[in-house]
Amino acid sequence: MKRAIAILLALLMVLSIAACSGGSPTTPTPEPTVEATPEPTPEPTLEPTPEPKATKEDLLAEAEYFTRTEMEDAFHNKAKAKTFIGNTYIFKGKVKTIEEDYAWIEFNIEEDGTVYSWGVNGGIGAHAYFPLEDLVELKPEQILVTVGKVSDVASINGTAIVFEEAFIAQDHFDISGKFQKPSSGSNNADGELKISGATIWHRVYFSDSVKYSDYSKYFDKDIKISAKKIGSEYRDAYIVG
């Protein structure tokens, strides 16, 4: 009897071990992998493309003459003067002072044979921002024709019409009159010229390209020259007839 019980226990142990070894191993469930969301690529910031600056030819094509009426309106009414901003004008004037980046120009508006000007000290004038290569060649009291676009109106010792885009449209002018040899004390002038009907003789300085033999033949005769008007002198002159 004991032997039968021992055999039975042995069989039960064998069956128990077989059951344990025959089962499939449990595979652990992997944790889900969370992928990082990529940062969005920022759009490149585009700088605004600056507008190309106008050329002298561009301004000349759209310019209107600055009139005596506009000059007087700007002098008496600065609010009216502000309405000129954005307009392109061409005007004649006299250089009064030359600053490091602009020239202070007195308007010389010609109408019906008369030159109108309010002066610049307490009056009205233009701040013309010429290219540096032109600015360095200017002289006080020089007559110019300027073309430019009004960018602002300032109250600086009067009224200043500001032209941040400005060019010299003309700096030589035709002059006709009687020509003579330079008088004593003429400051090394090449000759002197008196306009018909005038009493003042103006010193003439010819361009280096004009030879003495070219102009001396006009002594005591009528001559026509093209020159820069600087004060009472004619500079960088050449003969046109």
Side-chain angles (χ1 to χ4, degrees), residues 58-65 88-90 147-148:
D58 293 335
L59 296 180
L60 286 170
E62 64 185 56
E64 300 178 355
Y65 282 96
T88 302
Y89 292 112
I90 186 168
V147 62

Side-chain angles (χ1 to χ4, degrees), residues 80-100:
K80 175 71 172 178
K82 287 282 188 180
T83 66
F84 300 159
I85 294 175
N87 294 350
T88 302
Y89 292 112
I90 186 168
F91 59 92
K92 194 173 186 180
K94 182 189 294 183
V95 177
K96 301 306 292 183
T97 61
I98 305 161
E99 306 300 334
E100 63 182 21

Side-chain angles (χ1 to χ4, degrees), residues 11-241:
L11 288 173
L12 288 173
M13 289 179 64
V14 170
L15 290 173
S16 177
I17 293 169
C20 291
S21 61
S24 299
T26 304
T27 303
T29 304
E31 292 292 328
T33 302
V34 179
E35 294 187 2
T37 303
E39 292 287 335
T41 303
E43 292 291 329
T45 303
L46 298 178
E47 294 292 334
T49 303
E51 293 185 8
K53 288 189 175 182
T55 65
K56 178 165 69 174
E57 290 69 26
D58 293 335
L59 296 180
L60 286 170
E62 64 185 56
E64 300 178 355
Y65 282 96
F66 192 67
T67 66
R68 174 191 173 190
T69 299
E70 288 168 322
M71 180 179 68
E72 292 178 345
D73 285 348
F75 174 74
H76 292 295
N77 187 334
K78 290 183 175 61
K80 175 71 172 178
K82 287 282 188 180
T83 66
F84 300 159
I85 294 175
N87 294 350
T88 302
Y89 292 112
I90 186 168
F91 59 92
K92 194 173 186 180
K94 182 189 294 183
V95 177
K96 301 306 292 183
T97 61
I98 305 161
E99 306 300 334
E100 63 182 21
D101 52 359
Y102 70 89
W104 219 152
I105 299 178
E106 175 187 271
F107 289 117
N108 285 182
I109 308 300
E110 295 183 10
E111 290 186 8
D112 303 323
T114 302
V115 177
Y116 297 91
S117 176
W118 285 93
V120 292
N121 291 322
I124 181 171
H127 284 184
Y129 286 76
F130 296 122
L132 182 60
E133 60 268 23
D134 293 334
L135 198 63
V136 297
E137 297 295 330
L138 294 181
K139 305 291 184 185
E141 300 300 303
Q142 182 174 350
I143 301 296
L144 299 173
V145 174
T146 298
V147 62
K149 179 171 288 189
V150 180
S151 55
D152 198 4
V153 177
S155 297
I156 304 174
N157 198 22
T159 301
I161 309 296
V162 181
F163 296 84
E164 289 189 357
E165 293 180 80
F167 295 93
I168 297 172
Q170 183 181 354
D171 64 354
H172 278 69
F173 301 90
D174 290 349
I175 308 111
S176 299
K178 186 81 170 181
F179 188 57
Q180 70 174 18
K181 292 181 179 180
S183 60
S184 59
S186 60
N187 198 24
N188 297 319
D190 296 316
E192 296 178 347
L193 187 148
K194 182 173 70 172
I195 299 172
S196 178
T199 58
I200 299 174
W201 288 88
H202 300 268
R203 296 169 183 166
V204 178
Y205 298 84
F206 284 100
S207 168
D208 292 340
S209 63
V210 181
K211 300 177 182 178
Y212 177 81
S213 58
D214 295 330
Y215 63 80
S216 60
K217 60 187 177 184
Y218 289 95
F219 287 149
D220 300 320
K221 296 179 182 179
D222 288 335
I223 193 173
K224 183 178 181 180
I225 63 172
S226 180
K228 295 180 179 180
K229 295 182 178 180
I230 303 175
S232 62
E233 298 179 345
Y234 300 142
R235 294 269 180 173
D236 193 35
Y238 56 89
I239 301 165
V240 294

